[in-house]
Amino acid sequence: MTYDHDALFIGGTWTKPATDATIEVISPHSEQVVARVPEGSVADIDAAVAAARTAFDEGPWPRMSPAERIEIVQALSGLYAGRLGEMAEVITAEMGSPISFSNLAQAPAPWMQIEAFLAIAREFPWESRRAGALGSDVVVRHEPAGVVAAIAPWNVPQFTVLSKLIPALLAGCTIVVKPALETPLDGNLLAEMLVEAGVPEGVVSIVAAGREVGEHLVTHPGVDKVAFTGSTAAGRRIGALCGERLKRVSLELGGKSAAIVLDDADLAATLEGLKFTALMNSGQACVAQTRVLVPIGRHDEIADALAETVAAMTVGDPSDPASEIGPMVARRQQERVEKYIALGQEEGARLLTGGSGRPAGLDTGWYVRPTVFAGVDNRMRIAQEEIFGPVLSVIPYGSVEEAVGIANDSDYGLAGTVWTADQAAGLDVARQVRAGTYGVNTYTMDFAAPFGGFKASGIGREFGPEGLAQYTELKSVYL
């Protein structure tokens, strides 16, 4: 399969780019070039925003009924369902996600989002009538927010793109999507489906580009709303730029989530669950539960068992279905994770498995050894800073109240789990931890419910009716 492309998807048509700049997509496993595609420039963004602006101000899309837009998005859903395997292979090729995870989540989860948003849109109160406090009725309308800039990261590229694209489309917005430089290929596959589904010209552009071009998109006067997923540092910058311009913004940012293991937890079930919740996508996930909080009396037992479980996971070629841990997306990310592993040792944490150095049997690729530290103090940098790799910190606690305090002692508040034989006790813990999403003996995302974070983990919510409402403006009409 060849992934090379020579055009950009601007305003719903394949367009010659304004410059000769090219993105070389490099396999994180082989370190060889997988594809060459155009890199978007400021001029390309200007063209994309102009197309979106015209389509919103003058075109049919915002003026269609919700039912008409639903019909077209439903067609997209059918096309997407037919290409899940292809999408999974593309994402694994470009960013190194293990194909087992790509087949489980990278491709199916975006399609599930489409179906969930379609169900929500059919019941959404686009226009409702209520009794006013002054004696007359009021009509309350949800109207499209306008031209949306959607900026997505590389770790779960389709998941984060569709969390913005689908509600924006259903709301009647037009949209310019900017994928990361590392992951431009899945966007091209999505563009083909948008055309086939019948999305009108001008409504969607997909332009992979770097940070400076992305900032131009954020500050563009033709953009009404910005939706961003990525690092907290970048989110702060984008939030500041939007604040200066009073531009609508939603931010889904970083995390340093805690998994609290209560004293009555079933160890085997907990370890099996942590393999996914802590190490999904090779640890390159904002919701990864990388702080594992355990009762002090069971610390060594659980830490040793966790290290044994992690050490037994298969690290290797992400295209091999047997691989559970793949490479980091880029050399810079590999180096970043290795620096944190060295820092953990310097800080005095006890290394149980992993550490620096290339995993055995892998001569190429941006791999790191899955690592477990024990005896970690929550004040250590490895417990406070987002590493974005397969590095876990086991932290002891003396009481459930102390465990909740440790979980909350973080700048972040995105996700978390509690593991226990007593669901009621788990729900009580969940109520006390300041995180936007939480699981009792599991972690998942239900696309009928809002997703997002407290504190430095973001502003706004995705999924559910709340996620759809992020792409609307409210209007009150007094009768």
Side-chain angles (χ1 to χ4, degrees), residues 12 16 77 83 138-139 142 157 160 163 197 270 396 425:
K16 182 180 179 180
S77 180
R83 303 184 75 171
V138 179
V139 173
H142 282 270
T160 49
S163 69
T270 299

Side-chain angles (χ1 to χ4, degrees), residues 97-423:
S97 176
I99 191 64
S100 56
F101 183 75
S102 292
N103 283 325
L104 174 70
Q106 292 276 23
W111 172 73
M112 293 168 65
Q113 286 183 40
I114 304 175
E115 286 294 300
F117 273 123
L118 283 166
I120 291 163
R122 292 186 183 101
E123 303 297 327
F124 194 76
W126 298 106
E127 181 172 295
S128 60
R129 188 163 176 158
R130 66 180 69 166
L134 302 178
S136 61
D137 285 356
V138 179
V139 173
V140 178
R141 290 174 48 79
H142 282 270
E143 298 188 352
V147 175
V148 175
I151 301 176
W154 45 259
N155 64 320
V156 280
Q158 279 292 292
F159 185 91
T160 49
V161 166
L162 266 65
S163 69
K164 301 160 182 56
L165 174 68
I166 300 305
L169 289 178
L170 289 168
C173 299
T174 58
I175 185 166
V176 178
V177 177
K178 192 204 80 66
L181 289 174
E182 293 83 358
T183 49
L185 306 181
D186 60 279
N188 290 338
L189 185 57
L190 173 63
E192 294 174 7
M193 291 185 266
L194 290 166
V195 173
E196 190 173 351
V199 176
E201 287 192 14
V203 173
V204 182
S205 296
I206 303 176
V207 182
R211 184 170 299 177
E212 291 184 3
V213 175
E215 186 159 314
H216 178 72
L217 175 61
V218 167
T219 58
H220 199 292
V223 169
D224 299 300
K225 173 185 166 57
V226 176
F228 171 77
T229 298
S231 73
T232 294
R236 286 193 174 101
R237 173 66 176 167
I238 290 170
L241 293 170
C242 290
E244 290 174 2
R245 293 158 177 80
L246 295 180
K247 189 170 293 193
R248 277 59 177 155
V249 63
S250 51
L251 305 169
E252 198 279 286
L253 308 177
K256 192 68 180 178
S257 301
I260 300 176
V261 183
L262 297 189
D263 196 53
D264 65 351
D266 179 278
L267 182 55
T270 299
L271 294 174
E272 187 61 30
L274 287 175
K275 284 175 64 176
F276 179 77
T277 62
L279 294 169
M280 67 178 88
N281 204 25
S282 310
Q284 298 175 122
C286 58
V287 296
Q289 330 271 291
T290 55
R291 292 185 295 154
V292 183
L293 280 50
V294 303
I296 193 167
R298 297 187 67 186
H299 173 272
D300 290 353
E301 171 202 3
I302 296 174
D304 289 344
L306 179 61
E308 184 178 346
T309 298
V310 171
M313 295 179 73
T314 302
V315 183
D317 185 345
S319 66
D320 185 344
S323 294
E324 298 171 281
I325 302 288
M328 301 296 94
V329 71
R331 187 180 303 280
R332 70 173 191 283
Q333 188 65 18
Q334 176 195 40
E335 293 172 350
R336 170 187 168 86
V337 176
E338 288 181 338
K339 286 179 181 177
Y340 273 104
I341 292 172
L343 179 62
Q345 293 173 284
E346 293 169 10
E347 290 181 309
R350 180 158 51 95
L351 182 68
L352 295 184
T353 190
S356 60
R358 182 180 294 277
L362 295 168
D363 297 325
T364 63
W366 298 313
Y367 291 90
V368 296
R369 298 169 66 192
T371 297
V372 176
F373 284 106
V376 175
D377 187 299
N378 197 56
R379 293 168 292 184
M380 293 178 179
R381 287 179 61 188
I382 58 169
Q384 287 292 320
E385 299 176 14
E386 189 174 37
I387 298 173
F388 229 63
V391 180
L392 308 184
S393 296
V394 181
I395 303 172
Y397 67 82
S399 66
V400 174
E401 292 75 19
E402 184 184 358
V404 170
I406 293 171
N408 286 333
D409 182 17
S410 171
D411 290 338
Y412 301 102
L414 186 58
T417 51
V418 59
W419 303 83
T420 175
D422 185 342
Q423 188 179 79

